[in-house]
Amino acid sequence: MVNALNRDVLSLDASQREVWRRESRVEVEAGLDAYASSVQRLSRRLTDAQRWELGEILSQLK
């Protein structure tokens, strides 16, 4: 999914990319906020061992 998005964005010319960045900023920020919120909610419900494992998984995703 990420690779497809990268291909789509890279296929745009420079001016189209700038327009895409401006228009998608709000949507991307909302998605990131929702992701961070869900990680925080999940983290509160986990034991210390589970929290450590979640941290390891998330660090590998970055």
Side-chain angles (χ1 to χ4, degrees):
M1 186 168 156
V2 172
N3 287 336
L5 177 61
N6 285 339
R7 280 191 301 274
D8 291 344
V9 171
L10 291 174
S11 69
L12 301 172
D13 66 29
S15 61
Q16 290 173 321
R17 254 184 261 150
E18 187 59 37
V19 170
W20 179 84
R21 281 188 190 106
R22 273 186 274 134
E23 292 176 356
S24 65
R25 175 176 232 132
V26 172
E27 189 176 318
V28 169
E29 287 177 354
L32 290 173
D33 287 343
Y35 172 76
S37 175
S38 64
V39 168
Q40 286 177 342
R41 281 193 312 271
L42 176 63
S43 179
R44 280 187 227 122
R45 296 179 182 170
L46 300 176
T47 66
D48 287 340
Q50 290 170 326
R51 212 172 281 133
W52 177 84
E53 191 152 346
L54 176 62
E56 291 294 308
I57 292 168
L58 293 175
S59 68
Q60 290 179 9
L61 290 175
K62 292 179 183 177

